[in-house]
Amino acid sequence: MKTTILSLMYLCLLVTLMACSKDKNGGVAGGGQGTLYYAAFKGFMKLDLRSGQQQQLIDIASMSHQERFDVSRDGSEIVAYEESLSSDQVSFTIYNTSGQVAASFQVRQYVNGVPRISPDKSKIAVIWQPASTYPRKYVAVFTRSGQQVAGFEGVSDYAWLPDGRMVMTAPGGFYLSNVQLTSASRIADVSRFADVPGQLDVSADGASVLFTSNYHIWMMNLDGSGMRQLTTSDVKEWYPAWSADGKKIFFTLDWSGNCKEIRVMDVPGQTVTIDPHTDAVAPRILSDGNRICSASRPMMR
């Protein structure tokens, strides 16, 4: 009997080690399935969480802003923001996943935040402060050739919905646009927050919105109801992003100098405390056994 029990224990240990070895080149336990996109120090990267295969899509070592990227919902295109060193022009470049340029356009400064490509890939939105109206700012919507087709003044941050609408934050509250991007109505108040919430991300089904306030992650329903804080810690929790199935949240944890470390967690039922020194609650995402440091928000497709 003792021999049998020891043999079973050895077998269980062996299976566990084999499973860990299989994940050596990919995500840690809890990473799940899907493709993770992020900006590393020298390249814009694609990581298959199931196989662990990693690929550099764009060389970004010389780019002015390595954090300002977005990936289309179908994972086929990437939009990047870059400032000119010799003029006041700001460039938006759309790449395919082979790193080839598919389209580009320029606007005059000033631009804040991250550009976002619409679900149908026909438009790019940015927070724009044109010199002619500075310091007034807008969420401006451009075609792929650079023609402005819509705009909402005073917006602090925003995200696209799957149906082409936009959810936005401003000092007056959360707002939801119509599909035509011609009007927006307020869906929630923001007076409870010390800052204007930002870093919005909408779930793939369009039902829920992640955002940050005071460097913590929050969640609400699209109609503004069910607003609740998901995380707390003594460090900065940045850039929450839904997994494709809506069951997990990817984010970066800024706690160790210049490394914003990508973490993942299940959607909590109550506020959880993130401990930067352990993998409890929110495991690290690893590649080749090393943690991933990301300049951009993690994007799951």
Side-chain angles (χ1 to χ4, degrees):
M1 179 64 69
K2 291 182 179 180
T3 302
T4 303
I5 293 174
L6 289 175
S7 298
L8 288 173
M9 291 175 63
Y10 175 78
L11 178 60
C12 291
L13 177 61
L14 181 60
V15 170
T16 302
L17 289 174
M18 289 174 66
C20 291
S21 178
K22 184 177 181 180
D23 287 340
K24 179 182 178 182
N25 295 321
V28 297
Q33 302 178 2
T35 302
L36 171 66
Y37 296 85
Y38 69 98
F41 178 67
K42 295 183 179 180
F44 189 77
M45 310 298 294
K46 172 184 178 181
L47 174 63
D48 186 318
L49 293 178
R50 174 180 286 181
S51 68
Q53 182 178 2
Q54 187 163 220
Q55 178 185 0
Q56 177 175 304
L57 303 178
I58 305 170
D59 184 347
I60 64 173
S62 62
M63 286 189 173
S64 62
H65 285 271
Q66 298 173 341
E67 76 281 8
R68 299 192 186 185
F69 284 87
D70 189 34
V71 178
S72 62
R73 284 184 177 266
D74 64 2
S76 67
E77 290 192 324
I78 304 157
V79 59
Y81 162 105
E82 191 168 10
E83 294 177 1
S84 170
L85 298 179
S86 59
S87 72
D88 63 353
Q89 296 285 351
V90 172
S91 298
F92 298 90
T93 305
I94 301 172
Y95 299 88
N96 60 30
T97 50
S98 297
Q100 299 171 325
V101 175
S104 65
F105 65 90
Q106 293 181 327
V107 300
R108 301 184 72 84
Q109 290 182 339
Y110 302 88
V111 176
N112 293 324
V114 177
R116 293 189 184 243
I117 191 166
S118 64
D120 65 1
K121 300 182 289 187
S122 67
K123 296 179 282 293
I124 304 294
V126 299
I127 301 293
W128 191 33
Q129 294 178 281
S132 60
T133 59
Y134 188 84
R136 293 164 61 189
K137 65 180 180 179
Y138 308 80
V139 56
V141 182
F142 298 91
T143 65
R144 294 166 70 95
S145 61
Q147 177 186 1
Q148 186 182 357
V149 293
F152 295 95
E153 186 172 355
V155 172
S156 299
D157 207 350
Y158 66 96
W160 291 101
L161 271 69
D163 61 7
R165 291 181 294 168
M166 302 180 81
V167 59
M168 302 169 281
T169 56
F174 282 89
Y175 293 83
L176 183 63
S177 80
N178 60 3
V179 175
Q180 295 77 23
L181 304 179
T182 57
S183 65
S185 56
R186 196 172 83 154
I187 56 174
D189 182 35
V190 295
S191 60
R192 65 187 292 180
F193 300 104
D195 57 353
V196 178
Q199 301 181 350
L200 283 64
D201 193 61
V202 179
S203 58
D205 62 4
S208 303
V209 182
L210 294 172
F211 61 92
T212 60
S213 176
N214 196 29
Y215 304 117
H216 299 310
I217 299 171
W218 289 67
M219 174 182 172
M220 72 176 188
N221 301 323
L222 185 59
D223 63 2
S225 65
M227 195 176 294
R228 60 191 177 96
Q229 184 174 341
L230 302 184
T231 65
T232 185
S233 71
D234 294 329
V235 296
K236 296 177 180 178
E237 302 138 30
W238 295 82
Y239 298 124
W242 288 105
S243 63
D245 62 6
K247 296 180 179 180
K248 295 182 183 295
I249 297 170
F250 290 74
F251 64 100
T252 60
L253 198 63
D254 189 0
W255 70 280
S256 57
N258 61 355
C259 177
K260 293 183 179 69
E261 181 181 274
I262 297 182
R263 297 286 189 108
V264 60
M265 66 179 183
D266 295 327
V267 180
Q270 57 186 359
T271 304
V272 297
T273 300
I274 304 296
D275 185 347
H277 303 288
T278 74
D279 277 348
V281 179
R284 297 168 176 85
I285 301 300
L286 304 180
S287 177
D288 292 325
N290 299 311
R291 63 181 180 168
I292 293 178
C293 298
S294 177
S296 70
R297 63 189 177 96
M299 289 155 276
M300 286 299 303
R301 301 292 185 260

